């Protein structure tokens, strides 16, 4: 189990395993019946709008998870909860981004904060998750159950008009793609350009038989 927290980025990795031979309960990590691991990572920051007139910023949160549940006796779930409190008075609440299915999943949340220079909002993000592995009662023979999960929550802020500052000094900028990703993007744009160029050419005359 491990987790890290920084302004704009929260990460956590979990794994739970039970091993045993039925019909006894499994023992793992000094526990009986089931074994559960939890993670919790969070940050909070104060975002101040900057500008002589109206200011608008867009806050984007994303949750990426990879969950492995090899059998019916394991569970995994992760949540990314975002809250914003405007000028210390008005709370903006959103349903948490929640993942609890096996596989590679990404979901996003986007909202806009409008105001004038000097307005502010307190931004908080909380990443929580758990994995549980259980050994069924009455099972016969050797039994193995494990659950694992890798989670990453990210928060970015982009100014549409004006700008903003953060009390932490974090920029909340979107991550820059890795060099390999840039190469794939350029190849994709090149291929798209060839396709569009080909489609823009006038069609050659065709003879129609009567």
């Amino acid at each position: 189990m491990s987790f890290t927290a920084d302004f704009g980025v929260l990460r956590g990795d979990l794994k739970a395993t039970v091993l045993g031979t039925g019909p006894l309960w499994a023992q793992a990590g000094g526990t009986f019946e089931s074994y559960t691991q939890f993670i919790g990572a969070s940050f909070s920051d104060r975002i101040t709008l900057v500008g002589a007139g109206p200011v608008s910023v867009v806050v984007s949160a994303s949750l990426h998870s990879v969950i492995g549940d090899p059998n019916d006796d394991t569970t995994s779930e992760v949540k990314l909860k975002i809250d914003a409190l405007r000028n210390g008075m008005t709370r903006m609440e959103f349903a948490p981004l929640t993942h609890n299915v096996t596989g590679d999943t990404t979901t996003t949340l986007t909202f806009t904060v409008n105001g004038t220079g000097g307005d502010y909002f307190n931004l908080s993000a909380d990443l929580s998750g758990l994995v549980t592995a259980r050994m069924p009662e009455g099972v016969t023979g050797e039994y193995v159950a494990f659950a694992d999960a890798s989670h990453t929550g990210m928060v970015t802020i982009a100014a549409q008009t004006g700008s903003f500052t953060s009390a932490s000094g974090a920029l909340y900028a979107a991550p820059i793609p890795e060099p390999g990703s840039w190469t794939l993007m350029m190849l994709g744009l090149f291929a798209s350009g060839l396709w569009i160029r080909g489609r823009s050419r006038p069609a050659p005359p065709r003879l129609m038989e009567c």
Side-chain angles (χ1 to χ4, degrees):
M1 178 189 71
S2 65
F3 62 87
T4 59
D6 198 358
F7 294 103
V9 183
L10 303 170
R11 292 190 174 93
D13 296 289
L14 289 165
K15 185 170 184 177
T17 305
V18 291
L19 307 171
T21 302
L24 301 176
W25 289 105
Q27 299 183 38
T31 65
F32 295 88
E33 179 182 349
S34 65
Y35 184 44
T36 301
Q37 286 275 23
F38 299 89
I39 57 168
S42 62
F43 74 84
S44 60
D45 204 355
R46 178 166 169 159
I47 310 300
T48 302
L49 306 183
V50 178
V55 180
S56 178
V57 299
V58 175
V59 181
S60 299
S62 66
L63 174 62
H64 173 236
S65 69
V66 181
I67 294 177
D69 280 334
N71 50 47
D72 294 336
D73 303 301
T74 59
T75 58
S76 300
E77 182 175 87
V78 64
K79 293 182 179 181
L80 178 64
K81 185 74 171 71
I82 303 294
D83 284 318
L85 183 64
R86 296 189 55 181
N87 295 327
M89 296 182 296
T90 306
R91 183 175 300 277
M92 304 173 66
E93 293 189 273
F94 310 94
L97 300 175
T98 304
H99 296 174
N100 51 23
V101 295
T102 303
D104 191 319
T105 307
T106 300
T107 54
T108 59
L109 165 70
T110 301
F111 61 94
T112 302
V113 179
N114 298 311
T116 57
D119 289 345
Y120 68 92
F121 62 98
N122 296 319
L123 176 68
S124 63
D126 180 73
L127 177 71
S128 61
L130 65 87
V131 295
T132 299
R134 301 181 184 86
M135 184 172 179
E137 185 177 11
V139 68
T140 57
E142 186 175 1
Y143 186 85
V144 179
F146 74 88
D148 57 18
S150 172
H151 311 302
T152 301
M154 300 194 68
V155 178
T156 62
I157 305 175
Q160 303 300 296
T161 57
S163 60
F164 68 92
T165 61
S166 67
S168 67
L171 300 178
Y172 292 99
I176 299 175
E178 297 292 332
S181 300
W182 277 113
T183 302
L184 291 174
M185 290 170 61
M186 294 303 294
L187 288 173
L189 290 173
F190 178 72
S192 298
L194 291 177
W195 182 80
I196 294 173
R197 183 180 177 185
R199 285 182 61 89
S200 63
R201 293 174 180 170
R206 294 188 301 170
L207 295 177
M208 297 186 62
E209 296 183 0
C210 298

